[in-house]
Amino acid sequence: MLCWLNRLHGALSAPTGRIAHLRPSSLRRRLALSSQRRIPEFSSFVARTNTCGELRSSHLGQEVTLCGWIQYRRQNVFLVLRDSHGLIQVVIPQDESAASVKKILCEAPVESVVRVSGTVISRPPGQENPKMPTGEIEIKVKTAELLNSCKKLPFEIKDFVKKTEALRLQYRYLDLRSFQMQYNLRLRSQMVMKMREYLCNLHGFVDVETPTLFKRTPGGAKEFVIPSREPGKFYCLPQSPQQFKQLLMVGGLDRYFQVARCYRDEGSRPDRQPEFTQIDIEMSFVDQTGIQSLIEGLLQYSWPSDKDPVVVPFPSMTFAEALASYGTDKPDTRFGMKIVDISNVFRNTEVGFLQDALSKPQGTVKAMCISEGAEVLPIFLKANRNWNSPVAKSIMEEQRSGLTRLMEIQEDDVVLLTAGEHKKACSVLGKLRLECADLLEARGLVLRDPALFSFLWVVDFPLFLPKEENPEKLESAHHPFTAPHPSDVQLLYSEPEKVRSQHYDLVLNGNEIGGGSIRIHDAELQRYILAELLKEDVKLLSHLLQALEFGAPPHGGIALGLDRLICLVTGAPSIRDVIAFPKSFRGHDLMSNAPDSLPPEELKPYHIQVSWPADSEAKKSSLNQPYCPES
Ligand code: ASP
């Protein structure tokens, strides 16, 4: 067994005989260098010699063949040709002998795709365009070929021309021609490539594909259901490869990763997609610090070189602190405006609602100070020296000075105050904090530097939270396979709601971009949590519970939300802008009109029938009504 493992390892890690003898650190250096040096050949194997965007004065005199789309034409003399690498000016020949070339280039509609061959020449003095990277040169065309004509466009392919998102999604293949979409998808590809390199080549991870036809399992997001040919039996699309990656650890795969497609039927939520991509990772014999260092290294290695470098280690904050100071489990730490507990200042208050809140067992009073808010936030009451607020008259002098001292309130600051149960009071202020930041920024203040990437680990989450729809019952804060904090295990049997977990989230600029945990590898503990605390049907997970009984190693992992990460890196307004073919807000593919109806005879093999709601829109559209996209 060792013999084939060694051979496999040798074959994979040693493309040349020489590298095989390098020590790990020099191998690492070598890989890093070779990946920096390699410049891709953009014109190998195809009918062009160069890309439109790469030509410069250094190419003067060269005979080139270019393929691209006609961006625009000027007075039938110049034509600007575009490919995904840039724009180049082509001079349309005017002499009689080149009449056929002129005809092709002058008659082809904008966005037609052409091939031209000619010489790189310099532009006449004074006609250079410093705004164009290729602006010192142009192409003197000798031959031209119309590869395909373009009919009238539904919108102009220019980034500055505004179009509705519905139209962009309906004609996504045209939208993808924009420089912005090209940039986003290419940057995404490059970052994923670097991640693979880091994980596989530098750290020995194995890329394993896991099934997308799976079954319903408890304790997570809602799954998409897939009919099968067996009556009454259904597959489900996995919400993540969670169980498979844990089973891979039982199978001795040791270090797994996958660029994994995940599916969640969560209805319409802004900036979520029913199918999305995770960088999914699992390791055996690891602890929380190990996973965190791996991810810090991964992001540092794959980070685009034109952005400020990622500084590691990332700071860390407990869930309790994040909630108390920022009112959320994903704090945007690029700016202050922290929440402060001012309950003690108001212990003897006469203000009715504060008194009321403080008389309750979990009652608190919280405040947040918006520096110079009075100058720029006209919607708020000004908290100037006269304490201009309806509650001000009931606030005693000592409370005023206590508050001013505690919160370092200055003239022209605005103080927002809320009273109630700790978690609720904090989360109200947490939401207002972000609203205020939006308002202040709309008025010209810069609170959140767009060039700044502020990473943060949030740790020590509770293992369980009260269920939203039934607070008497518990649900997992992460997922049911998350291990309890070692020092809280005993509490599982007495006060489970107090147990902290080994769950960690990665936050970037106020967005959760990853989450993971150290897992339970003890079958008994896993069974107890599922059956006794979460009241789940353990039969549905018997495969996993059984696997844990066969020498499952201690293990843990994490998943990074790739779409959101790339969205933040590119500064795109929506995750749909970093996905080639995203779904609309309502989960539709506006280009192909998925999901679509099926005739009853095609449903028969699956033993299912549609029960149409009365006056159903879906039924109407299934009766071949003209397709009407969402707006
Ligand atoms: N499977 C988890 C998720 O999708 C991530 C993890 O725990 O590794 O959120």
Side-chain angles (χ1 to χ4, degrees):
M1 143 117 176
L2 255 183
C3 162
W4 69 256
L5 199 63
N6 280 346
R7 266 175 42 212
L8 178 67
H9 189 253
L12 291 177
S13 64
T16 74
R18 273 169 46 219
I19 294 184
H21 305 293
L22 291 173
R23 286 198 316 277
S25 62
S26 50
L27 173 63
R28 204 168 305 143
R29 220 173 310 127
R30 202 169 225 251
L31 282 165
L33 279 177
S34 69
S35 76
Q36 275 164 21
R37 275 195 207 129
R38 217 173 287 141
I39 298 167
E41 288 181 30
F42 291 111
S43 299
S44 45
F45 315 117
V46 295
R48 70 180 183 210
T49 57
N50 296 82
T51 65
C52 295
E54 78 178 290
L55 297 174
R56 299 284 183 277
S57 293
S58 56
H59 296 89
L60 279 178
Q62 282 189 17
E63 295 296 317
V64 296
T65 298
L66 306 174
C67 297
W69 287 264
I70 299 176
Q71 176 92 352
Y72 59 86
R73 201 175 4 245
R74 221 167 343 120
Q75 296 149 357
N76 285 351
V77 175
F78 297 112
L79 184 142
V80 171
L81 204 61
R82 183 197 74 236
D83 66 13
S84 46
H85 297 264
L87 301 168
I88 185 137
Q89 178 159 292
V90 166
V91 188
I92 304 174
Q94 303 295 322
D95 40 314
E96 244 341 275
S97 60
S100 62
V101 174
K102 181 175 181 184
K103 188 169 156 52
I104 290 170
L105 296 181
C106 291
E107 289 182 2
V110 163
E111 287 305 312
S112 296
V113 61
V114 295
R115 178 167 55 212
V116 297
S117 296
T119 318
V120 181
I121 56 170
S122 48
R123 293 195 188 189
Q127 289 188 25
E128 300 89 353
N129 181 353
K131 289 200 197 123
M132 249 172 124
T134 60
E136 287 184 352
I137 51 138
E138 55 194 10
I139 307 296
K140 185 165 182 254
V141 175
K142 292 195 183 113
T143 62
E145 191 184 338
L146 176 65
L147 299 175
N148 213 344
S149 178
C150 178
K151 71 175 208 178
K152 191 173 173 334
L153 291 162
F155 53 79
E156 279 191 74
I157 318 286
K158 290 191 182 109
D159 289 58
F160 59 83
V161 174
K162 287 242 177 305
K163 41 238 164 208
T164 65
E165 197 180 22
L167 197 64
R168 288 177 55 202
L169 292 181
Q170 191 184 347
Y171 294 96
R172 189 57 154 184
Y173 44 86
L174 291 179
D175 187 44
L176 292 177
R177 288 186 192 171
S178 69
F179 276 114
Q180 192 59 58
M181 285 305 299
Q182 291 277 327
Y183 172 80
N184 293 353
L185 295 183
R186 283 162 197 275
L187 182 125
R188 179 179 176 131
S189 157
Q190 277 168 10
M191 275 187 79
V192 170
M193 179 55 90
K194 296 286 273 179
M195 287 181 179
R196 286 185 189 281
E197 203 172 279
Y198 178 85
L199 290 168
C200 291
N201 297 351
L202 300 189
H203 292 285
F205 278 74
V206 187
D207 181 356
V208 184
E209 288 158 75
T210 54
T212 36
L213 289 181
F214 192 37
K215 66 172 214 173
R216 206 191 77 77
T217 52
K222 205 155 164 15
E223 289 138 329
F224 282 99
V225 171
I226 310 288
S228 85
R229 284 168 187 265
E230 282 181 58
K233 300 244 167 119
F234 297 87
Y235 296 104
C236 276
L237 297 179
Q239 35 181 298
S240 83
Q242 184 61 38
Q243 291 177 48
F244 289 107
K245 64 176 174 174
Q246 291 194 237
L247 293 166
L248 287 171
M249 296 303 111
V250 183
L253 260 296
D254 210 51
R255 291 168 169 242
Y256 143 94
F257 98 97
Q258 181 180 191
V259 182
R261 187 57 62 83
C262 305
Y263 306 87
R264 293 183 192 171
D265 189 6
E266 290 180 327
S268 316
R269 291 221 219 151
D271 249 23
R272 293 248 174 136
Q273 283 280 297
E275 53 180 325
F276 60 96
T277 308
Q278 287 185 342
I279 303 294
D280 198 40
I281 290 173
E282 197 76 8
M283 289 164 97
S284 294
F285 317 112
V286 75
D287 62 9
Q288 184 163 316
T289 349
I291 298 281
Q292 289 177 336
S293 306
L294 170 83
I295 294 300
E296 287 163 359
L298 175 73
L299 286 165
Q300 201 170 37
Y301 187 84
S302 57
W303 205 245
S305 50
D306 61 341
K307 312 266 179 245
D308 283 351
V310 170
V311 180
V312 300
F314 302 153
S316 187
M317 187 183 288
T318 64
F319 167 80
E321 189 188 342
L323 182 68
S325 302
Y326 296 92
T328 172
D329 59 358
K330 37 179 186 293
D332 190 339
T333 43
R334 284 174 300 174
F335 67 107
M337 277 165 56
K338 289 198 202 172
I339 299 166
V340 181
D341 191 306
I342 52 163
S343 309
N344 284 341
V345 179
F346 285 101
R347 285 280 168 229
N348 306 317
T349 184
E350 279 161 19
V351 181
F353 80 99
L354 300 181
Q355 217 174 39
D356 196 41
L358 287 173
S359 66
K360 304 216 167 96
Q362 303 286 318
T364 58
V365 180
K366 310 273 179 188
M368 184 174 74
C369 179
I370 306 160
S371 176
E372 291 174 52
E375 300 246 320
V376 277
L377 295 178
I379 60 154
F380 293 112
L381 294 158
K382 291 193 176 190
N384 54 24
R385 285 258 154 77
N386 305 318
W387 287 71
N388 185 359
S389 156
V391 284
K393 353 185 222 326
S394 322
I395 296 182
M396 291 180 279
E397 186 46 46
E398 74 186 70
Q399 289 165 346
R400 285 184 191 200
S401 53
L403 197 57
T404 310
R405 221 176 316 111
L406 191 66
M407 304 201 58
E408 297 173 2
I409 302 169
Q410 308 282 324
E411 177 88 29
D412 282 333
D413 287 356
V414 166
V415 175
L416 299 183
L417 199 136
T418 180
E421 184 265 324
H422 172 72
K423 192 168 167 216
K424 280 202 189 119
C426 290
S427 62
V428 165
L429 284 184
K431 286 191 187 110
L432 279 171
R433 179 176 174 265
L434 297 178
E435 294 281 335
C436 290
D438 286 346
L439 282 167
L440 292 170
E441 286 186 341
R443 295 184 163 256
L445 261 79
V446 180
L447 262 75
R448 298 165 290 195
D449 178 355
L452 197 74
F453 291 96
S454 178
F455 286 97
L456 174 77
W457 289 109
V458 179
V459 298
D460 285 356
F461 280 82
L463 188 56
F464 306 109
L465 292 171
K467 262 193 176 171
E468 246 172 60
E469 62 282 8
N470 182 358
E472 300 289 283
K473 294 194 173 154
L474 295 177
E475 65 184 1
S476 304
H478 187 45
H479 54 56
F481 316 114
T482 299
H485 198 287
S487 30
D488 291 357
V489 175
Q490 278 322 308
L491 285 174
L492 275 175
Y493 306 95
S494 51
E495 295 173 287
E497 65 289 347
K498 296 217 171 121
V499 177
R500 287 165 306 158
S501 71
Q502 297 190 64
H503 158 200
Y504 31 83
D505 270 355
L506 182 59
V507 174
L508 172 56
N509 295 353
N511 298 273
E512 182 195 326
I513 57 155
S517 58
I518 300 303
R519 325 297 184 189
I520 300 167
H521 65 281
D522 175 284
E524 262 331 292
L525 181 60
Q526 184 66 83
R527 198 171 282 119
Y528 177 78
I529 287 183
L530 284 167
E532 304 304 323
L533 300 180
L534 297 171
K535 312 284 182 214
E536 295 288 3
D537 179 359
V538 284
K539 280 204 289 304
L540 292 171
L541 283 166
S542 53
H543 53 283
L544 184 77
L545 289 167
Q546 203 174 47
L548 295 183
E549 286 169 341
F550 288 108
H555 60 284
I558 191 165
L560 296 182
L562 184 66
D563 308 302
R564 198 163 296 156
L565 173 65
I566 304 289
C567 181
L568 291 166
V569 173
T570 56
S574 146
I575 60 166
R576 293 183 293 280
D577 290 326
V578 300
I579 300 173
F581 297 103
K583 302 283 184 286
S584 72
F585 180 61
R586 277 193 263 154
H588 292 175
D589 175 355
L590 300 186
M591 186 178 61
S592 70
N593 198 20
D596 209 351
S597 45
L598 287 176
E601 60 277 16
E602 283 189 37
L603 292 176
K604 250 198 190 132
Y606 303 105
H607 314 278
I608 52 177
Q609 244 181 358
V610 177
S611 83
W612 295 101
D615 195 26
S616 152
E617 279 302 313
K619 184 169 191 180
K620 280 189 224 151
S621 72
S622 79
L623 298 174
N624 289 335
Q625 291 263 327
Y627 165 54
C628 168
E630 287 168 48
S631 52

